[in-house]
Every structure is written in structure tokens, then in C-alpha cells.
Amino acid sequence: MRILFVIFHGFAPDNGISKKISYQVEALRSSGQEVHLCYMNEDSTKKRMVDDTVIADYGKGLMSKIRKRTDFTPIVQYAISQQIEFVYMRSNHNANPFTVRMVRKMKQAGMKVVMEIPTYPYDTEYVAQGIGRQIVQDRIFRNLLARQLDAIVTFSDYEQIFGQRTIRISNGIDFDSVKVKASVNDTSKELNLIGVAEIHEWHGFDRLVSGLAAYYATPRDYVVRFHVVGYFFSAEGEKAFRQFVADSAMEEYVLLYGKKHGKELDDVFDRCDFGVGSLGRHRVGIQKIKTLKNREYAARGIPFLYSETDSDFDEKPYVLKMPADETPVNIDQLVAFYRQLSLTPKDIRNSIGDLSWKNQMMTVLNNVMRL
């Protein structure tokens, strides 16, 4: 099958979202499909690309910013000229008359078209980031756009989104890109927790800090540290978190690394024993989600905690579920949970073999071929 994978933003190899997209593309290719990636390149001028080919150069200035958001004719023309059979587009919460027309023309040309919505629902998430006004147009047109599609791909358990049927998959793992933890550390005297994220309020890391503050309110011989890896979405968020750590007198036990990748990230994971997933998804109205981070922790071979509903992991013996509220994480409970585990890193990693990106993208293809 000739497939066009469409994204409406840039594509950079070291970016987390871009890595996920590249894993999806490679998963489709490894199943024998011919896949081309359409994306924006904004190095000098704003250019719409397919693989290494420029299909539209919008130039510079205000008009280029407008055209990249409204001129999708080059995508349609490319798809028709190359006899594309299936279009997989990743929502940028950009439903508008121009995306509606693009999909309508693709459908008229006989193509199957699905749209992935990475996080759903997402309105409250945007409001939490202070950019709710940016999706006003999306709210007006998203139901109309959904009607043009063959399906919506979701990482949630919703059977319908915006009135359209869904294809429900999980965020996957590219196992070749994630190093499994070499061995279990000596945790007789200390336990090291790790949280890796582009840090937003819905990660709820403050709940872990509050839990540490409560834990150390009485003298402790057993040391628990929290290693925070990643950059904050906003400077204000970082300032507030650092101040919260200081006010809690937890600077000795909460270590902030900034963004790490490659060997540096592997080294931090090797020093740590337990992963910290999202603890505040309830803050943005999300109950069910299948985050990439939960899957990375499992692929690394470490147990972890989170507070949302993730049907792939809720019943796993190495997962500690936290309540979806504002209570501090109970560190004594966490330590006791960790001590009763007997699974090796390889045991944990081997438990998620079905979550490879190839398996997840084949679910999409099999659904599309039945349409």
C-alpha cells in the first residue's frame, strides 16, 4: 500500500514527538508498506516537504505563516500524482475549512484517510497551558472534519470521537531504541526514583515532592531521592516547581537534570530504580490515556507509578496505582511496594512485547483495509 503520513509541523530527529513519528513510519515500512512523510521545514523559509523533496515553498514573513496553515493543495496534488492509497494524518488541533477541503478532495480521489489525535480530550489541556484561544477554530470545525474521515486513531478507550468511529491503539515502543536496565541496583539503603517528561502541571511531580516532604518530616535512615529529567514547558512552571521544592526543604532529595538523551539518559536510568509517571492528569480532565512514558519505563525494565487509567498496565504486578487526586504520594507505601517485587528488568520488558509500534500500526492497517 502507498501511504502518505502527514504532519503539520516540523520534524527534528532529536525531538520526542518526531522520534515517535519516525517509529510509526518505520513500523509501517517494516510491514511492507511504501510510506512517505509530509512535514514542514522552517530552517530558512517555510517549506512543505515530502521526504527530502520540497512540494511547496511559502517563503518568509507573515504570508508564509498564513499559507502554511491554509494552503494544503500541494499535499493533495502530491497524493494524487503518486497514487497514494492511504493518508495517515496527525492532528495538530487544526480543524478548519482548509483541512476539511483537503480531506474531502483526498476522499474524492479514492483515498482512505484517518487522523490520529495524540491526546483526547484536549480542550482542558490547552486551557491549562494558557493557549485555549488557539483552538477556538478547531472547536468550530472538528466535527465537520471528523465526518470526512474514515476513522480517528486514538490512544484512549473512546469508541467515538467527534461523532466518528475510532481505531483504538496503544502508544508503542521501538524496542531497539530503548536500552533495558542492565541490573538491579543495591536498594538496601536507598531508593532512587526517576521522572522523565516535558514537564507540565498534569505530570503532578509536586505530589511526589509533597510525599517526600511528609516522609522526611520524621528522621529516616532509608533515603529516597527523586531524579527529574526533562525541560519545563514554561519558565514560570520551572520557577514555581523549584520554589515548591525549596519551600518543602527537599533540595537534597529532588535533583533536576534538565533534558538528557542517549548515553546520558541511559546512565541516569541505570542509577534509578522506580519510574514516576503522570500524577495529575485529572487536573486537565483526562481519566484514560496510554502515555509513552509508561511504556518507556516498562521497556527500561523498571516498575513505576501513575494515577490515570491505562488498560495496558493497570493490572501489571510492577505498577503502583495512585489515586487521581491531590494527595501526596505515600513514600512508605512506595518503598514497601518496591521491596515485595521479585521481577527482573528483563521480566518487565518481556511483559510488553505486544506493544511494539509494528503491532500497533498493523492494527490501524488491518482496520483500514476492512473499511
Side-chain angles (χ1 to χ4, degrees):
M1 185 181 288
R2 296 172 68 86
I3 300 173
L4 184 63
F5 196 116
V6 178
I7 62 176
F8 298 97
H9 50 74
F11 185 80
D14 61 344
N15 173 272
I17 293 174
S18 296
K19 284 181 180 179
K20 170 188 168 179
I21 292 164
S22 67
Y23 297 151
Q24 290 177 286
V25 169
E26 289 307 313
L28 289 168
R29 287 174 178 161
S30 69
S31 65
Q33 316 306 317
E34 179 184 333
V35 188
H36 302 278
L37 176 64
C38 179
Y39 60 98
M40 289 299 301
N41 182 323
E42 303 187 40
D43 288 343
S44 54
T45 62
K46 290 178 170 52
K47 296 183 285 287
R48 200 175 302 280
M49 311 286 295
V50 173
D51 301 330
D52 296 324
T53 302
V54 179
I55 63 169
D57 190 336
Y58 300 131
K60 300 179 180 180
L62 177 61
M63 282 306 299
S64 69
K65 295 179 181 179
I66 295 173
R67 291 181 66 197
K68 81 168 189 175
R69 291 175 171 82
T70 60
D71 181 17
F72 303 127
T73 299
I75 303 177
V76 176
Q77 291 175 337
Y78 174 89
I80 292 174
S81 69
Q82 298 301 309
Q83 298 180 316
I84 296 295
E85 302 165 78
F86 172 40
V87 177
Y88 186 104
M89 53 188 272
R90 189 178 193 272
S91 169
N92 199 28
H93 307 145
N94 58 335
N96 56 49
F98 310 101
T99 48
V100 170
R101 183 171 61 184
M102 178 187 74
V103 173
R104 187 176 289 150
K105 288 185 175 180
M106 289 171 170
K107 294 291 297 174
Q108 289 171 351
M111 303 173 206
K112 301 288 188 184
V113 185
V114 303
M115 180 174 72
E116 173 192 311
I117 297 181
T119 302
Y120 180 82
Y122 53 81
D123 287 348
T124 50
E125 184 176 303
Y126 268 66
V127 171
Q129 296 179 45
I131 52 177
R133 282 182 287 182
Q134 294 186 18
I135 60 168
V136 170
Q137 186 172 237
D138 178 84
R139 290 173 179 165
I140 296 171
F141 288 98
R142 59 195 181 190
N143 286 72
L144 178 58
L145 176 61
R147 288 201 294 272
Q148 315 304 313
L149 301 166
D150 289 292
I152 287 175
V153 178
T154 180
F155 303 106
S156 70
D157 294 328
Y158 290 93
E159 295 183 1
Q160 281 197 352
I161 292 178
F162 306 141
Q164 179 58 267
R165 66 182 288 270
T166 62
I167 299 173
R168 296 175 296 284
I169 66 172
S170 295
N171 264 308
I173 282 288
D174 180 82
F175 288 97
D176 292 335
S177 69
V178 180
K179 178 186 173 187
V180 66
K181 189 174 172 64
S183 60
V184 176
N185 298 321
D186 178 4
T187 57
S188 59
K189 296 181 179 180
E190 65 178 41
L191 188 70
N192 287 281
L193 318 177
I194 183 171
V196 183
E198 177 189 275
I199 305 163
H200 296 259
E201 69 162 320
W202 59 77
H203 288 106
F205 287 170
D206 55 290
R207 293 182 64 192
L208 200 289
V209 176
S210 295
L212 287 172
Y215 177 76
Y216 285 111
T218 56
R220 298 285 182 168
D221 294 326
Y222 193 81
V223 176
V224 181
R225 294 189 181 89
F226 182 29
H227 303 256
V228 180
V229 182
Y231 59 86
F232 287 77
F233 176 75
S234 69
E236 295 79 7
E238 180 174 4
K239 181 179 179 181
F241 184 78
R242 288 182 180 275
Q243 188 62 52
F244 185 72
V245 172
D247 292 344
S248 304
M250 286 294 105
E251 291 107 323
E252 181 181 352
Y253 303 105
V254 179
L255 310 176
L256 277 68
Y257 290 76
K259 190 175 182 179
K260 298 288 182 184
H261 55 83
K263 186 178 184 305
E264 287 186 330
L265 179 58
D266 292 341
D267 289 344
V268 181
F269 264 108
D270 283 342
R271 293 198 299 272
C272 293
D273 315 294
F274 199 97
V276 178
S278 300
L279 294 168
R281 291 284 176 177
H282 60 280
R283 296 173 177 174
V284 289
I286 293 176
Q287 297 177 335
K288 299 178 180 180
I289 190 171
K290 299 180 179 182
T291 68
L292 277 172
K293 199 51 57 187
N294 290 351
R295 282 136 190 85
E296 181 178 355
Y297 291 146
R300 293 275 182 179
I302 63 172
F304 53 96
L305 58 79
Y306 58 83
S307 64
E308 68 269 8
T309 295
D310 184 334
S311 57
D312 291 329
F313 288 104
D314 286 346
E315 303 302 322
K316 297 291 188 186
Y318 50 81
V319 166
L320 177 61
K321 287 293 296 292
M322 292 287 104
D325 58 29
E326 296 301 312
T327 56
V329 172
N330 186 321
I331 302 300
D332 285 308
Q333 178 192 14
L334 191 161
V335 172
F337 176 81
Y338 181 82
R339 283 178 167 169
Q340 57 84 38
L341 291 174
S342 59
L343 296 168
T344 68
K346 286 187 178 179
D347 290 334
I348 295 175
R349 183 181 175 103
N350 290 341
S351 74
I352 59 165
D354 60 324
L355 294 181
S356 70
W357 270 122
K358 184 173 181 178
N359 283 348
Q360 300 309 310
M361 298 311 289
M362 281 305 299
T363 297
V364 175
L365 280 183
N366 291 337
N367 270 270
V368 168
M369 287 188 281
R370 290 198 296 266
L371 295 176

